Structure formats: structure tokens, C-alpha cells
Amino acid sequence: MPKLASDARVRAARLDAHGLRSGLPSVTAAVTRLGAMQAQDLTAAKWVIGARVPGSVAADVDAAITSREIVRSWPMRGTLHLLPTVSLRPILSITGPRELQRAATRHRQLELDDAVYRSARAVAETELAGGASRSRDELQAAWNAAGIETTGQRGYHLIWWLANDAVVCWGPTEARGQRLVLLDEWAPGTARHTDRDETLAAMFVAYITGHGPATVRDFALWSGLTLSDARVGLLAAGDAVTPFDDERFVAADSGWPADTDSDTPRVRSRLALAAFDEYFLGYADRTAVCNPVHATSVVPGANGVFQPILVSSGRVVGTWKRTPGRGPQSVALAGFDATSAIEPSAYRRALGEWARFWGLELGEITART
């Protein structure tokens, strides 16, 4: 039987890796530490960053996007992520063809073939040339005007196809979203030719640095790569990663030796993390941080929609929800069951940071089980 570290030791080390114990110095540092973060909900993704960067505000994330230090696109699992801009092209060189192959059946159903794609790409490149940007609706309107039908998810899939082909990405922020731009114009100086193994190694090291202790299988699920590619990433990473126990790895400079019997520091933090936060989302096995019985409360109905989570000493103990409206923001906390009762006052500091990040006033905090 493999010798594994205690769950308490795993939680303490992961809080360190995520930057949730000591904090990280900037938005770009947080995104770089995680390697990439799921971001189909841009508002949630901003707080994923904010929870790791003490004193930051939402506008700091917009500024990092505007400066092209980080970028939002579809690099992995067919899902939107925020990631360092320099990482996008190398990752897409591996994941893009795989995702497009996986989408082939859906594209046939939508009657999207290479000829339609070439026409749509020509229109997009004309519309976006010279540093221009378009909203999703504006680009689809241009396609419709050119006789390219966008109904029935065709427009979305054409944008997604262009992004996976490294033609477009999301650029300037606008209200709660972003506008589409040409990747080669938005970030023209970030292309760097790397071989496949080097890119897999960089992906594995980035993942382990920001998520470790974690397994090769965790990395495969997070990246959407095959287990074979994940193992290549581990081998190519060399001494940049080191064992944490008999199954998990951490960054070599993490300060966590592969000694399952060594002392584990006590962690007493209370955190109010975002929906889709990588602390819960980024693993195939979440047992160390959340009782599997309660995991369905974080993703009700297993529909892929993750709820904001409450974390106590590294353990996910419940969910939270703001009450929409003007004025002070009321927040409702929900423990998983009677054994995980939530004391509202214990989370006032964490929720106060959330409110400050968004420029809001925190109102009443209530709890239920």
C-alpha cells in the first residue's frame, strides 16, 4: 500500500500552494501561481484572484487583462480560463487540436465544416484587423450579414473554434464581460516555440506549483490531457517537482519535504472563496479538503455549476450566497449538515475582504444548516 500524507498535511500544503495562507503580491503572480484558472464566470474568477492577493480590487484584474499580462480564452477542457498570456499559444498547440477533434461530432450536427470555418475566419479577421474589437453579438451580426448562420450555437462554436486555433481571444473588459480581439494583435510578442515535451513539462510544473500536493491523475483532469501526456509532463518536469508522498507531488521549492511523519503546522484560517475556485475545482480527488458526501452541495445536480465555498482550516465546510440588491450586501451561509454548523461572525473578516474587493458595504451575515 502506498504511504500517503494525512489529509490535514495535504490541506496545509495546498493552502500554501494556492497562496491562501500568506497571500501573493499581484494579480499576475496569482494567475501565474495557479497556471490557469477556470473563468467562464468572469466575476467569480476575479474573486478567485482577489482572495489570493491581499488589498487588491476588481479593477486590478481588469488592469492585468488590459496590460496583456493575463488573457482569457479556451486553453483547456473546452472551457474558458484566465492564464498568463505567454502560456496561451504553447498550451493551445497541444490542447487545441485535441479539443477540436472532440467537437467534430457536434460541429457536424451544426453543419460547421472547414469551408464555413474559413469563411467565418476571413470575416473575423477583417472585422478585428488593426486593433479593433467586437462584442460576441457584434461579431455574430457580421457573420450573419455575410450569410454565415449563427443560430443554434453555431456562432458560439465558431468563436470557440477560432480561439482554439489561436486566432481570437477575449480582450478589453466591458461591463461584466469582454470584447473579442485577434490574438496576434492583442499579444503579438508572446509567441515562443517550444517542443511538445517542454510544453507538457511547463504545464505540469505550473499546475503542481499552484495546486500541489496533487497527483498525475489530478493534473490530467485539470488540463484535459490524456494520462499518457500527463505522465510525459511529470517525467519532463525533472527536478522542478518532488514527491510529497507516494502518490502526490509538490514544487521542489515549496518547502514541503516528502516526509509523511513530519510536523504539520496548524491552520486556523476562515475563507470565503469564489464559485469555481481552484481550491475545490482543480482536482480529480477532493477527499482531502471535502467529505465526498458533501461534494454534491458544492456542485448541486452535478451540472458543472460550482457554488461559492466556505473553508475552515483548509476544509470545505459549506457554501455562501449574497443577496442581490442595493445598499449593504447581505450574505447567507449554509453549512453542509448539523456537524458543520457555521458561525457567521467567524467569516465576517473574509467576507469583509470580498466586499472591499468589489467596493461594496457588507451587511448582515446569516447562517443555516
Side-chain angles (χ1 to χ4, degrees):
M1 290 290 290
K3 188 172 184 180
L4 302 180
S6 68
D7 286 351
R9 187 168 176 80
V10 172
R11 290 193 294 269
R14 284 188 183 170
L15 287 170
D16 271 349
H18 278 265
L20 289 169
R21 285 188 67 190
S22 302
L24 297 168
S26 69
V27 168
T28 302
V31 176
T32 300
R33 171 68 71 90
L34 290 173
M37 61 180 66
Q38 192 161 315
Q40 73 267 49
D41 183 334
L42 182 56
T43 299
K46 289 181 180 182
W47 178 235
V48 172
I49 296 169
R52 290 160 170 80
V53 183
S56 63
V57 295
D60 295 333
V61 181
D62 292 339
I65 292 172
T66 300
S67 68
R68 293 89 186 283
E69 296 172 29
I70 62 174
V71 67
R72 184 166 170 252
S73 191
W74 286 266
M76 302 183 305
R77 305 195 311 276
T79 302
L80 281 162
H81 285 72
L82 280 168
L83 71 163
T85 305
V86 295
S87 301
L88 179 57
R89 286 184 182 87
I91 291 175
L92 283 175
S93 71
I94 294 177
T95 61
R98 175 175 168 79
E99 290 301 322
L100 289 169
Q101 184 178 34
R102 291 173 61 182
T105 298
R106 181 58 179 149
H107 286 177
R108 284 194 296 272
Q109 293 170 346
L110 294 171
E111 299 181 348
L112 296 176
D113 56 20
D114 289 343
V116 174
Y117 171 74
R118 286 193 298 271
S119 297
R121 177 169 177 167
V123 172
E125 288 176 333
T126 298
E127 288 288 314
L128 300 173
S133 66
R134 297 288 184 270
S135 69
R136 175 175 167 174
D137 288 344
E138 288 169 347
L139 183 55
Q140 291 188 105
W143 282 333
N144 287 324
I148 302 169
E149 189 72 39
T150 62
T151 57
Q153 292 193 325
R154 281 168 58 94
Y156 169 82
H157 275 271
L158 285 170
I159 293 171
W160 180 86
W161 191 340
L162 288 166
N164 274 271
D165 230 3
V167 177
V168 303
C169 65
W170 290 105
T173 55
E174 180 181 64
R176 292 170 62 88
Q178 291 175 270
R179 296 173 66 81
L180 289 158
V181 292
L182 291 175
L183 178 58
D184 282 346
E185 293 191 0
W186 183 254
T190 59
R192 187 172 71 88
H193 295 292
T194 58
D195 66 30
R196 199 170 195 279
D197 287 5
E198 184 181 351
T199 297
L200 288 170
M203 292 176 69
F204 188 79
V205 172
Y207 171 75
I208 291 297
T209 299
H211 294 75
T215 66
V216 172
R217 186 174 295 276
D218 288 327
F219 170 65
L221 176 130
W222 175 83
S223 63
L225 296 170
T226 64
L227 271 173
S228 294
D229 276 344
R231 293 185 182 110
V232 170
L234 167 62
L235 291 174
D239 59 8
V241 299
T242 191
F244 178 77
D245 56 25
D246 286 353
E247 291 186 353
R248 302 179 181 99
F249 297 87
V250 291
D253 60 357
S254 68
W256 288 89
D259 180 0
T260 58
D261 297 321
S262 62
D263 291 339
T264 298
R266 286 193 171 189
V267 179
R268 297 184 179 277
S269 60
R270 299 287 198 281
L271 303 169
L273 301 182
F276 302 98
D277 195 285
E278 292 285 324
Y279 186 72
F280 181 88
L281 178 148
Y283 304 88
D285 183 357
R286 300 165 179 140
T287 305
V289 302
C290 185
N291 186 326
V293 172
H294 302 317
T296 54
S297 296
V298 180
V299 196
N303 60 2
V305 180
F306 289 68
Q307 303 301 305
I309 54 174
L310 299 170
V311 178
S312 176
S313 301
R315 189 188 301 276
V316 179
V317 296
T319 60
W320 63 281
K321 184 178 182 179
R322 64 180 288 188
T323 301
R326 297 181 178 179
Q329 297 294 296
S330 298
V331 178
L333 315 181
F336 290 137
D337 57 24
T339 65
S340 55
I342 301 296
E343 172 54 51
S345 62
Y347 290 90
R348 178 160 287 278
R349 179 176 178 181
L351 288 166
E353 281 299 296
W354 163 80
R356 185 201 54 74
F357 177 82
W358 290 109
L360 301 171
E361 180 183 352
L362 182 63
E364 183 183 19
I365 304 174
T366 58
R368 62 179 176 79
T369 57

